[in-house]
Every structure is written in structure tokens, then in C-alpha cells.
């Protein structure tokens, strides 16, 4: 099937790589470190090297694009799929690439953009477009709302996708309206909309399945699953095992290491970007046991609490802490605050003394 869409694959792949050409044209104007990450406060908070930003990002997107196209076109049930829906698979990644790379170049060249507005616009348009095409999506293994209940019957699949199409269009409109929300509300609003867009179709499909089952129109899912292709069942179990293993490893592993240098110390944290703090920049260092507050951006697990947080004591601040140790070292530098600790209270006290010794 992929041979049938060879032209679309070539054109979309070229489109994904076009930002590389833009980067080469702007190469001498771009800084060595380019902004590639934005925090929950909608401002840039992370950088990458120029070579990775110009070449690495498009190549990563290209690899993801090929993977999506390969999986979609190899699905035997997509042979009679709506061609417009397949075109969406080919062109969604180029559009994302243009937006992401465009923002990276714009910020790196000194232009100021409202990141949240572009995020809401992108997600809103995606929901609008996908909502428009969902009712036209035929039953398959790679596109649409792929849960056991929608696979129980073609009627369930069609009814769920018709309802979800209308819902997703409404969600798209709400997300675009969300462009005008204040900073404190935009992440919550986006999260609620996305959760509703996922959960409501699942509940609808579940109820549709039980109505059909009670009327004797279909067999129980347990019997139907045996009729699915072996490769689909194996792939489903592999994905479940991989996801559970990944979640377990990330949840209970990871460390925070502090290394002292001549004029600064460096915080190296697993699963999150590192941080450099110059000794001359430090205004105060104190030991406290303060409530972490709410994470606005970063990484959290039963072991680690990393990233941008907000609480009543510090306002917006950075946190690099082990969750099981309430004792933290609070470092202030101008308007910036950093909360840092070690695995236990004794190691935190030792780290606190080591930082004090380095201060001028």
C-alpha cells in the first residue's frame, strides 16, 4: 500500500526537512545555543546546540513521520480507507514541524511570541480537522478511537466516531478560545479539554457495547478478541508491557547529583535538564521544610520532584528534590529561587554546608 502513496511520502518528507534549509540560510545569525524548550509559565527555559536545533529536530520528526506512515499503510484494513483521512496522516507531521521549528528560529533570533497562543491554535486546529474526518474513518487497527468496545461491532465504531467527531470539533473551538486565557488557567483548561475529548467517546462506546450485548446483537468481547489477527494481539501486549515497564523504571529510579566547580555548581538530574548556578549570583542559602506547592512544568515521580513549581512562600521557583525528604536547601538569586535537596536529611545538611563553603 505504501507504493500507492509514494508521492505523498516523498513530498511530505521534503516538507519536514525544509526548516533545515531555512536554518542554513539563517546559520550566521543564529546563536550557538538555541531555545528549544518552554516552561509552564510560557517562557523559554531550555536550550540546545545550533546543529541539533537546525538538523536534529527535523530528522527526529522525519523518523516519527515515517514510523506513523509505515504503521498506517501496513494496516490491511486501511486499504479501503478514506483517502482524505490518509492524507491527514501524511501532512500532520510537516505542519507540526513547521510550527515547532518556526518558533525555535523566532525565539533564537530575538523575536517575542506568546507560546501558549500558538499551542492553543495548533491543538485547536488539529481537533477541528480530526473531528471533521473522524465520522469518515472506517474500522481499522491504526487510526481513530481504537478501544475494545469500538471493535466489538461496526455499528459501535461508526456511532462512536460520529459522536466523537462533533465533540472534537467543539473541543477545537474551545481550545482556540483558550488563547485568551491568563497564564494560571491555560494548562488546566487544555488538560481538561483533552481529557474530556478522550474519556467521553470511551464511555459512549462502552454504553453502546452493553446495549448491543443486552439485546443479543453481538458476542462478548472475550470471544471477539480471539478472532483478531495474531499480530494485532501480540502488538497490543508488547505495547502494554513496554509502557508498564517504562512507567515502573521512571517512577522508581533517577538521581540528583551536585558537582562543584571553580565559579559555580552544576545540578544534574535524571529525566530533566541540568542547571548551573554561579556562586557570585547567590544572595542567600537557607535550610527549610516547605510545602512544594504545584508543579507547572517539569517531571514528577514517587522518587523525584523536578522543574517549575509555584507555592505561597516562593511564588514561581525551580525545584530539584527527592520527594521522600522534606528538608530542602532554598537558594535565592535576585528574583529567582531554587529548592534543592539530597536523598536524606544528613546528606542535605552536608550539601548545605558544602554550598556555604563555596560562597565568596
Amino acid at each position: 500500500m505504501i507504493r500507492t502513496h509514494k508521492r505523498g511520502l516523498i513530498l511530505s518528507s521534503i516538507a519536514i526537512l525544509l526548516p533545515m534549509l531555512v536554518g542554513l540560510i539563517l546559520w550566521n545569525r543564529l546563536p550557538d545555543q538555541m531555545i528549544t524548550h518552554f516552561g509552564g509559565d510560557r517562557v523559554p527555559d531550555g536550550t540546545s546546540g545550533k546543529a541539533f536545533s537546525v538538523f536534529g529536530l527535523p530528522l527526529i520528526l522525519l523518523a516519527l513521520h515515517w514510523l506513523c506512515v509505515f504503521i498506517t499503510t501496513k494496516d490491511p484494513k486501511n486499504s479501503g480507507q478514506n483517502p482524505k483521512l490518509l492524507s491527514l496522516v501524511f501532512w500532520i507531521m510537516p505542519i507540526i514541524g513547521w510550527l515547532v521549528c518556526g518558533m525555535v528560529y523566532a525565539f533564537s533570533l530575538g523575536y517575542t511570541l506568546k507560546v501558549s497562543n500558538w499551542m492553543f491554535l495548533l491543538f485547536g486546529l488539529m481537533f477541528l480537522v480530526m473531528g471533521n474526518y473522524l465520522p469518515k474513518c472506517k474500522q481499522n487497527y491504526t487510526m481513530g478511537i481504537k478501544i475494545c468496545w469500538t471493535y466489538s461491532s461496526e455499528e459501535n465504531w461508526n456511532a462512536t466516531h460520529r459522536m466523537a467527531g462533533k465533540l472534537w470539533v467543539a473541543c477545537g473551538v474551545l481550545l482556540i478560545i483558550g488563547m485568551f486565557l491568563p497564564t494560571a488557567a491555560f494548562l488546566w483548561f487544555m488538560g481538561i479539554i483533552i481529557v474530556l475529548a478522550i474519556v467521553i467517546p470511551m464511555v459512549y462506546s462502552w454504553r453502546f457495547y452493553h446495549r448491543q450485548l443486552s439485546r443479543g446483537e453481538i458476542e462478548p468481547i472475550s470471544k471477539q478478541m480471539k478472532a483478531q489477527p495474531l499480530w494485532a494481539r501480540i502488538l497490543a501486549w508488547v505495547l502494554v508491557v513496554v509502557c508498564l515497564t517504562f512507567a515502573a523504571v521512571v517512577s522508581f529510579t533517577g538521581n540528583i547529583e551536585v558537582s562543584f566547580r571553580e565559579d559555580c555548581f552544576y545540578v544534574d538530574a535524571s529525566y530533566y535538564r541540568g542547571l548551573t548556578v554561579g556562586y557570585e549570583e547567590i544572595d542567600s542559602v537557607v535550610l527549610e521544610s516547605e510545602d512544594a506547592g504545584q508543579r507547572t512544568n517539569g517531571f514528577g515521580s514517587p522518587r523525584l520532584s523536578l522543574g517549575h513549581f509555584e507555592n505561597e512562600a516562593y511564588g514561581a521557583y525551580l525545584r530539584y528534590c527527592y520527594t521522600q525528604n522534606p528538608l530542602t536547601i532554598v537558594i535565592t538569586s535576585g528574583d529567582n529561587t531554587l529548592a534543592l535537596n539530597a536523598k536524606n536529611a544528613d546528606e542535605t545538611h552536608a550539601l548545605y554546608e558544602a554550598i556555604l563553603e563555596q560562597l565568596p
Side-chain angles (χ1 to χ4, degrees), residues 47 87 137 156 216 258:
T47 62
S87 297
C137 181
N156 191 319
V258 178

Side-chain angles (χ1 to χ4, degrees), residues 271-306:
Y271 314 121
Y272 197 65
R273 63 185 180 88
L275 177 70
T276 300
V277 180
Y279 302 135
E280 297 286 346
E281 302 170 1
I282 296 176
D283 295 327
S284 67
V285 182
V286 296
L287 274 175
E288 292 186 0
S289 295
E290 186 65 51
D291 178 55
Q294 179 183 355
R295 186 175 68 248
T296 58
N297 177 265
F299 172 85
S301 73
R303 180 177 174 83
L304 298 177
S305 180
L306 310 169

Side-chain angles (χ1 to χ4, degrees), residues 92-107:
I92 193 168
M93 197 62 74
I95 294 172
I96 293 174
W98 293 339
L99 180 61
V100 170
C101 293
M103 290 176 60
V104 168
Y105 291 154
F107 271 98

Side-chain angles (χ1 to χ4, degrees), residues 66-223:
W66 283 350
L67 178 63
C68 292
V69 170
F70 177 80
I71 293 174
T72 303
T73 54
K74 285 298 181 181
D75 185 348
K77 286 203 170 188
N78 278 331
S79 57
Q81 191 61 262
N82 188 302
K84 292 183 178 180
L85 195 62
L86 290 174
S87 297
L88 183 63
V89 175
F90 279 86
W91 289 100
I92 193 168
M93 197 62 74
I95 294 172
I96 293 174
W98 293 339
L99 180 61
V100 170
C101 293
M103 290 176 60
V104 168
Y105 291 154
F107 271 98
S108 298
L109 291 172
Y111 295 98
T112 301
L113 301 172
K114 287 190 176 181
V115 179
S116 59
N117 287 3
W118 289 98
M119 287 175 60
F120 272 114
L121 182 61
L122 174 62
F123 278 99
L125 291 176
M126 287 175 61
F127 270 99
L128 281 172
V129 174
M130 289 189 292
N132 181 59
Y133 284 111
L134 268 183
K136 305 170 187 176
C137 181
K138 299 178 182 178
Q139 206 172 42
N140 67 96
Y141 298 117
T142 51
M143 294 187 293
I145 301 170
K146 304 179 296 298
I147 53 178
C148 57
W149 304 302
T150 55
Y151 285 128
S152 65
S153 70
E154 192 170 341
E155 291 82 5
N156 191 319
W157 177 281
N158 293 335
T160 301
H161 283 71
R162 283 195 298 269
M163 185 280 299
K166 298 175 183 178
L167 174 66
W168 284 26
V169 168
C171 288
V173 173
L174 289 175
L175 284 171
I176 293 174
I177 295 174
M179 293 171 58
F180 305 101
L181 287 175
T183 299
F186 99 104
L187 282 177
W188 281 103
F189 184 77
M190 177 179 285
I192 291 170
I193 292 297
I194 293 175
V195 168
L196 291 176
I198 294 172
V199 172
I200 291 177
M202 292 176 65
V203 173
Y204 179 91
S205 181
W206 175 79
R207 293 187 62 187
F208 197 100
Y209 162 75
H210 281 281
R211 284 199 301 269
Q212 285 192 305
L213 191 63
S214 63
R215 293 195 294 260
E217 298 174 358
I218 58 173
E219 292 183 334
I221 289 175
S222 57
K223 292 184 178 180

Side-chain angles (χ1 to χ4, degrees), residues 248-261:
V249 170
V250 171
S251 296
F252 301 103
T253 62
N255 293 297
I256 301 169
E257 302 289 343
V258 178
S259 56
F260 292 96
R261 302 172 184 176

